[in-house]
Amino acid sequence: MLTLSILLFPILAALLVLAVGGKQAKQIAFAGALVELALSGYAFLNFVPDATSQFSFDYPWIFAGSIRFSAGIDGVSLLLVVLTGLLTPLIILSAFRHTYERPAVFYSLILFMQAALMGVFTARDAFLFYLYFEAALIPIYFLAASWGGENRIAVTFKFFVYTIFGSLFMLVALVYLYFQTSPATGIHSSAITDLYNLKLSATEQTWIFWAFFIAFAIKMPVFPFHTWQPDTYVESPTPATMLLAGIMLKMGVYGVIRLLLPIVPEGVDRWGTTAIVLSVIGIVYGALIAIRQRDIKRLIAYSSFSHVGLMAAGVFSQTSYGIQGALVQMLAHGINVVGMFFVADIIASRTNTRLLDQMGGITRYTPKLTVFFMILLLGSVALPLTNGFVGEFLLLAGVFEHNNILGGVAGLTIIFGAVYMLRLFQKAMFGKTTDLTTGFNDVSGSESWVFIPLCFMVFWIGLVPNSFLKLTEPAVTNLLQFIK
């Protein structure tokens, strides 16, 4: 029943926020998110490191089609459940410093988004996965379209069309797979584990591979399906950007691990290298554009695009290193990118600019912000003993094991990442102060409480990675049996 509570509680909290409304909306939303964090933490602390689905439930849903409302937590989904539970209250807390119109609607949408994300990461039925996958799009669309920047309508419409278009391919593939189950009895199943056991021809696996890949590549995104991402990240209000970059893009990587790899292993053998090539192109392309950016928020957006390319490449390597690395890196990247976007929001709101050329000398006034910024930056560039190092090392090992040349090119992410991140820090924090940065206020108490847990996680994952890897390893090993 724990998983059911994790799915339902954010919805109940969101409804309570809407019912009470007013100035209490953000406090109620924050309290609700803390309860969800406690539920996620309980799952983490009581999870048994094996390949089974734990804290599960299974109820009939659509009787005519034998489709069930079934969910649970295994080693593949656990870290993403923890990530969603951890980041949501911090995102809500980070929004306290701003005044939003219709706050009850704003904060309830964040909680509805959390519920949908939890559904994606725990669903054990393919159609339930698809339902939550699509449901997650609705709250983020309204957050971006209602509270975003000047170009929010055009940008969010493009984002909406992209993701809906890609998801239709996945729906067609799922319906086809559903009708391939139990052909002798005529009783079909949409349980994800039943789809793993299908015997599909090479032709079937090819088109199903591309149907899934397009859907998930748009969501991550992977080159060349990324064009919606930078503008959407920049135009969205910062809490929505944090949700997009910190959690929502992980739906695509998770979908590849959960559905694509084990259902169409021959399709992955045939086309996986193509997917890695596209991912590696995205790594280099995103990093080079990030180096040239003058807008601090857009720079972080392109850095996120570059990092997710490495995750995708590692997953498609079909190695234990690659998949383990992707799971840990999704956790690490979510922590780092949310922290980096919060730094960008603090700087932009205090200086009224996002342009690096108009910044400088901030560190003279902000010892606390400087420390927080540097810790998150070092995690982002994968410095040893930080969270980013563990995942990137495993991911690169996986890609190298698959193909040495692609592994070498993917390894450029370490060099490029250091270039654009250190350039960002130098331009914003060092040098001469400007009219906009003179007298810059250091972080407040509530702002510090957003950074402290994030910085703690940077070192926990970096110093004691086995506390996370041991939980995912049995599930990854079991998954590889369907792939190899």
Side-chain angles (χ1 to χ4, degrees), residues 199-429:
K199 304 299 181 182
L200 302 171
S201 68
T203 302
E204 289 173 316
Q205 293 207 29
T206 292
W207 77 260
I208 291 171
F209 170 90
W210 284 107
F212 279 139
F213 178 74
I214 291 172
F216 298 140
I218 290 173
K219 193 72 73 174
M220 286 188 264
V222 169
F223 180 90
F225 305 100
H226 68 284
T227 56
W228 65 266
Q229 185 242 30
D231 289 336
T232 304
Y233 281 20
V234 170
E235 292 295 326
S236 298
T238 298
T241 304
M242 291 175 174
L243 285 168
L244 281 165
I247 311 174
M248 189 173 179
L249 71 79
K250 278 70 179 179
M251 289 171 25
V253 182
Y254 175 80
V256 172
I257 299 172
R258 177 67 70 193
L259 295 179
L260 193 153
L261 295 185
I263 292 177
V264 288
E266 291 182 25
V268 177
D269 284 339
R270 183 174 181 182
W271 296 103
T273 301
T274 302
I276 294 177
V277 170
L278 293 175
S279 301
V280 171
I281 291 173
I283 293 171
V284 177
Y285 174 76
L288 291 176
I289 295 180
I291 291 172
R292 299 294 301 169
Q293 290 303 308
R294 297 172 60 238
D295 183 308
I296 184 172
K297 199 173 181 183
R298 191 174 290 272
L299 187 156
I300 299 170
Y302 275 109
S303 77
S304 178
F305 168 53
S306 180
H307 279 100
V308 79
L310 181 58
M311 294 182 222
V315 169
F316 280 109
S317 72
Q318 305 175 68
T319 62
S320 178
Y321 285 141
I323 298 174
Q324 280 268 80
L327 292 173
V328 174
Q329 187 64 6
M330 282 192 281
L331 176 62
H333 175 267
I335 290 164
N336 294 335
V337 79
V338 165
M340 293 299 291
F341 274 119
F342 190 45
V343 169
D345 184 56
I346 289 173
I347 293 175
S349 63
R350 283 168 168 65
T351 61
N352 294 315
T353 183
R354 297 201 307 257
L355 299 179
L356 290 171
D357 298 342
Q358 299 176 12
M359 300 177 190
I362 294 176
T363 192
R364 298 182 184 183
Y365 310 102
T366 57
K368 290 188 289 185
L369 178 62
T370 302
V371 171
F372 293 142
F373 192 175
M374 179 54 71
I375 291 173
L376 294 164
L377 183 148
L378 294 177
S380 297
V381 302
L383 186 78
L385 303 182
T386 65
N387 59 351
F389 176 78
V390 179
E392 288 204 7
F393 177 82
L394 292 173
L395 287 167
L396 289 172
V399 180
F400 264 107
E401 186 176 328
H402 181 83
N403 185 292
N404 290 338
I405 296 175
L406 290 174
V409 178
L412 294 173
T413 183
I414 298 174
I415 300 172
F416 291 147
V419 171
Y420 59 70
M421 282 297 180
L422 292 175
R423 172 179 171 269
L424 165 62
F425 193 85
Q426 179 187 25
K427 290 276 190 180
M429 306 302 288

Side-chain angles (χ1 to χ4, degrees), residues 29-250:
F30 182 60
L34 287 178
V35 173
E36 185 76 350
L37 172 59
L39 294 172
S40 304
Y42 182 86
F44 177 79
L45 294 173
N46 291 275
F47 186 83
V48 178
D50 60 29
T52 63
S53 179
Q54 301 172 35
F55 317 113
S56 304
F57 67 87
D58 184 20
Y59 301 115
W61 181 25
I62 303 176
F63 290 91
S66 300
I67 298 172
R68 305 185 69 81
F69 189 67
S70 176
I73 300 172
D74 66 1
V76 175
S77 59
L78 176 65
L79 297 189
L80 293 168
V81 169
V82 171
L83 177 69
T84 308
L86 172 65
L87 291 186
T88 304
L90 298 180
I91 291 171
I92 291 173
L93 182 59
S94 73
F96 279 21
R97 53 195 300 276
H98 294 291
T99 301
Y100 294 100
E101 295 181 359
R102 307 186 306 280
V105 177
F106 181 86
Y107 289 105
S108 66
L109 286 172
I110 294 177
L111 293 172
F112 281 129
M113 179 75 176
Q114 182 184 39
L117 291 166
M118 289 294 194
V120 170
F121 299 139
T122 59
R124 293 294 169 266
D125 182 279
F127 288 118
L128 184 63
F129 173 90
Y130 177 80
L131 172 69
Y132 279 119
F133 195 85
E134 291 298 279
L137 176 62
I138 298 171
I140 201 68
Y141 172 81
F142 284 108
L143 283 169
S146 300
W147 290 275
E150 293 181 2
N151 298 321
R152 62 186 184 276
I153 300 301
V155 168
T156 51
F157 179 75
K158 180 180 180 180
F159 164 60
F160 188 83
V161 170
Y162 252 85
T163 50
I164 286 292
F165 176 77
S167 297
L168 288 176
F169 285 96
M170 177 171 61
L171 178 60
V172 170
L174 290 177
V175 171
Y176 181 83
L177 292 170
Y178 169 76
F179 283 109
Q180 303 311 302
T181 59
S182 306
T185 63
I187 301 175
H188 303 293
S189 170
S190 56
I192 291 176
T193 51
D194 289 339
L195 301 185
Y196 291 173
N197 297 316
L198 290 175
K199 304 299 181 182
L200 302 171
S201 68
T203 302
E204 289 173 316
Q205 293 207 29
T206 292
W207 77 260
I208 291 171
F209 170 90
W210 284 107
F212 279 139
F213 178 74
I214 291 172
F216 298 140
I218 290 173
K219 193 72 73 174
M220 286 188 264
V222 169
F223 180 90
F225 305 100
H226 68 284
T227 56
W228 65 266
Q229 185 242 30
D231 289 336
T232 304
Y233 281 20
V234 170
E235 292 295 326
S236 298
T238 298
T241 304
M242 291 175 174
L243 285 168
L244 281 165
I247 311 174
M248 189 173 179
L249 71 79
K250 278 70 179 179

